[in-house]
Amino acid sequence: MTDAVSEERAMKTGKPATSAPSLANVDQLPVYGQGPKNSSIQAAELFPRIATEIAGETNKDLLVYLHVPFCQYKCSFCDWVADLPTSVLISGPDVRQTYVDALCRQIRHLGPQLMAAGYVPRYIYWGGGTPSRLDGPQIRRIVAVLGESIDLSRLEEHVMEVTPDSLTPEKLVAMKESGVARISMGVQSFNPEELRKTGRGHTPEQADRAVEMMRAVGIDNFNLDFIVAFPDQSLSVLRQTLERAVAHAPRHLTAYIYRPTPSTTMAKRRKNRPHLQQASSHMKACFELTQEVLGAAGYQEYSLGYFSRSEADRCAGEMYYFHLKGDWMGFGGGAVSVLGHHRLKNSHANLHRFMEYPLSFDSCERLKERQVEAAIYTLRQSLATEMGVNFENFRRFFGFPFGDVRNHPAVKAYLGYYRYCGAEFRETETNLSISPETRAKAYINVWAKAGTRPDRISVLEQGA
């Protein structure tokens, strides 16, 4: 928070003002003092380094990610905010306002430096958490600060994630007037019992009404997101959910195959309960039903679980991210950025630190220093798409060619594991991909093995 905000809050609460760094001395703050090689990068050094790294590149596109780490409840299957205590996740309006203050301060400070480095913002994506927990004035304020700090004239897509029970007509008007052109609504299921088991706080009827509200304010470009293949999900219930979703005629539908992430409540519950163990045959049957129902309704699958009515309706921002088409700047506590081959991160675990000191980062590292870990994460994202890994995008993003990590034992083991799980790889001079016929099978077999880390399976164990 700024000194003025801190002092004003102190007067209102009677508590001493928390000392916060001012813009005058921020360049002396370390971005990270315990780096991978125990080196410290000062804030004043960071963006000149980034500008130097990308100086010779013709592609300086940028995705702007806005992270809002607040929800109305903690879903039992979600790992995005699993490391946030529930009390923090469902924080009230005062905490959210403090967070917005910090977020705007960060944008004002870093936005001009992104512009000076030559970046061209193409996409804005609000995620979390639940960005629609913010009220209309807060949404308007954040977008106004963005417009003051970076050039949005060449923006191609502006997306916000929402939940059905967090929407109001007033918020939707604020979104539309602020330039949000697509809404991604997490419905997860149209079955009330499934919603209850997963910890969702909304009803199927609220999801129906949310669609009506969006259309009433003139927002027709929206996608509905679902989880398929919950451990005890029946095919008949899944079909009912999918058919009810199709009846709303969204431009886009996303079906995420449930996989048990160890940190989530649902995964912990099922660990010692055999009847809840996930079977690849069940996951496969659920996903094949999803493909059948959505395909019959005219939706085309262009990435694993991503279905659109036309090429124009595809999620451009997500494909930018999956295909490494450029760098991204993550604003907020819990966000990750990759700029000029540097990865910057603010951890959820340090959310209160971010609200007090939003102009520094918890960690900063050159991607070269942890190239294998980062490359493996990229493989998981890219290989789920039609394009797969594009070698030129990889080189531009990481600063080194894919061949530099191709024969590393961990990468070979990772690719070997997917091959063991049924993937058939296709490689050209420009791309490495998994064939459409084997993509779903491979990923389902990987995800069905709860607790297995494919990057730690040896090549010999998997017969690669």
Side-chain angles (χ1 to χ4, degrees):
M1 69 184 77
T2 63
D3 292 335
V5 172
S6 181
E7 290 169 5
E8 180 183 358
R9 190 158 293 132
M11 288 188 289
K12 289 180 178 179
T13 63
K15 297 178 181 179
T18 302
S19 176
S22 68
L23 291 176
N25 66 8
V26 68
D27 284 347
Q28 280 68 57
L29 287 173
V31 174
Y32 188 49
Q34 304 292 326
K37 292 190 175 180
N38 203 32
S39 61
S40 175
I41 298 176
Q42 299 292 322
E45 302 170 1
L46 178 60
F47 274 87
R49 288 191 187 191
I50 290 170
T52 299
E53 292 276 6
I54 67 172
E57 300 289 349
T58 57
N59 172 18
K60 296 183 181 179
D61 288 348
L62 184 73
L63 181 150
V64 175
Y65 174 70
L66 299 168
H67 189 70
V68 181
F70 303 111
C71 296
Q72 290 170 266
Y73 37 78
K74 181 174 281 192
C75 302
S76 63
F77 60 85
C78 179
D79 63 344
W80 284 103
V81 289
D83 56 342
L84 263 182
T86 302
S87 59
V88 175
L89 184 66
I90 63 174
S91 295
D94 289 345
V95 174
R96 294 199 298 274
Q97 185 58 52
T98 300
Y99 183 83
V100 170
D101 293 342
L103 183 63
C104 289
R105 188 180 177 206
Q106 185 191 39
I107 293 169
R108 284 197 180 97
H109 179 66
L110 296 180
Q113 298 186 67
L114 292 168
M115 295 298 94
Y119 279 111
V120 180
R122 299 287 189 183
Y123 306 93
I124 296 176
Y125 192 96
W126 301 62
T130 307
S132 49
R133 287 259 354 245
L134 301 181
D135 60 32
Q138 290 169 333
I139 292 169
R140 293 178 192 272
R141 178 186 171 198
I142 292 168
V143 175
V145 171
L146 274 175
E148 295 164 4
S149 307
I150 64 177
D151 180 5
L152 301 180
S153 64
R154 285 178 277 183
L155 206 64
E156 297 176 16
E157 187 178 65
H158 189 165
V159 185
M160 181 181 287
E161 292 182 353
V162 306
T163 58
D165 49 333
S166 65
L167 288 182
T168 65
E170 293 75 20
K171 288 184 184 181
L172 286 166
V173 169
M175 292 175 199
K176 184 180 180 184
E177 293 181 349
S178 298
V180 175
R182 178 165 68 87
I183 288 179
S184 179
M185 185 164 74
V187 179
Q188 315 314 350
S189 174
F190 273 116
N191 179 269
E193 183 64 15
E194 284 187 343
L195 291 173
R196 185 189 65 79
K197 288 182 179 179
T198 57
R200 301 293 285 184
H202 64 84
T203 65
E205 291 72 29
Q206 281 178 301
D208 292 332
R209 288 195 295 272
V211 171
E212 294 170 2
M213 276 195 289
M214 286 190 282
R215 288 205 163 110
V217 301
I219 298 177
D220 189 54
N221 188 4
F222 60 89
N223 56 278
L224 303 181
D225 300 340
F226 297 89
I227 304 292
V228 304
F230 283 120
D232 55 353
Q233 186 174 52
S234 72
L235 294 180
S236 62
V237 166
L238 175 59
R239 180 181 289 276
Q240 290 167 6
T241 280
L242 295 171
E243 290 177 346
R244 189 161 171 175
V246 166
H248 285 296
R251 295 189 188 182
H252 192 283
L253 284 156
T254 311
Y256 298 103
I257 303 173
Y258 169 75
R259 52 191 184 277
T261 306
S263 59
T264 62
T265 303
M266 183 172 282
K268 292 174 182 175
R269 265 201 318 250
R270 63 185 284 277
K271 185 175 181 180
N272 299 313
R273 300 172 70 181
H275 68 287
L276 290 180
Q277 294 300 309
Q278 191 77 318
S280 59
S281 58
H282 170 68
M283 297 169 75
K284 183 172 182 289
C286 287
F287 194 67
E288 286 179 347
L289 176 62
T290 301
Q291 292 174 314
E292 173 194 327
V293 173
L294 299 187
Y299 292 90
Q300 303 168 344
E301 186 181 16
Y302 62 95
S303 181
L304 186 66
Y306 284 70
F307 300 83
S308 67
R309 285 197 177 278
S310 68
E311 188 170 342
D313 294 327
R314 294 181 177 184
C315 297
E318 283 93 321
M319 292 306 105
Y320 172 98
Y321 174 73
F322 291 164
H323 292 149
L324 304 179
K325 290 184 177 181
D327 288 354
W328 63 78
M329 176 69 221
F331 290 108
V336 177
S337 307
V338 176
L339 300 169
H341 314 138
H342 288 75
R343 180 164 58 185
L344 318 174
K345 182 178 181 181
N346 278 315
S347 170
H348 271 144
N350 291 332
L351 182 61
H352 287 291
R353 185 215 59 81
F354 170 79
M355 290 192 286
E356 291 293 328
Y357 305 101
L359 306 186
S360 62
F361 295 91
D362 291 331
S363 64
C364 174
E365 61 183 349
R366 181 75 161 69
L367 284 175
K368 187 77 174 180
E369 294 172 349
R370 296 179 69 186
Q371 59 188 40
V372 173
E373 176 192 330
I376 285 174
Y377 177 80
T378 294
L379 286 172
R380 180 170 67 84
Q381 301 281 4
S382 299
L383 290 174
T385 70
E386 289 177 333
M387 178 190 291
V389 180
N390 177 272
F391 299 142
E392 175 55 25
N393 288 355
F394 187 98
R395 182 209 60 77
R396 161 62 182 79
F397 185 81
F398 285 102
F400 54 85
F402 183 61
D404 282 8
V405 296
R406 180 65 175 272
N407 293 318
H408 189 284
V411 175
K412 289 178 68 175
Y414 193 86
L415 295 175
Y417 184 70
Y418 273 80
R419 190 178 295 111
Y420 170 81
C421 287
E424 292 181 4
F425 288 97
R426 294 178 176 177
E427 185 165 358
T428 67
E429 292 183 357
T430 60
N431 294 73
L432 174 68
S433 62
I434 298 177
S435 70
E437 299 79 15
T438 65
R439 191 182 304 130
K441 174 185 176 183
Y443 273 81
I444 287 170
N445 284 336
V446 168
W447 292 336
K449 300 179 184 300
T452 298
R453 287 289 304 274
D455 52 313
R456 295 182 181 174
I457 301 290
S458 75
V459 180
L460 291 177
E461 284 177 325
Q462 299 306 333

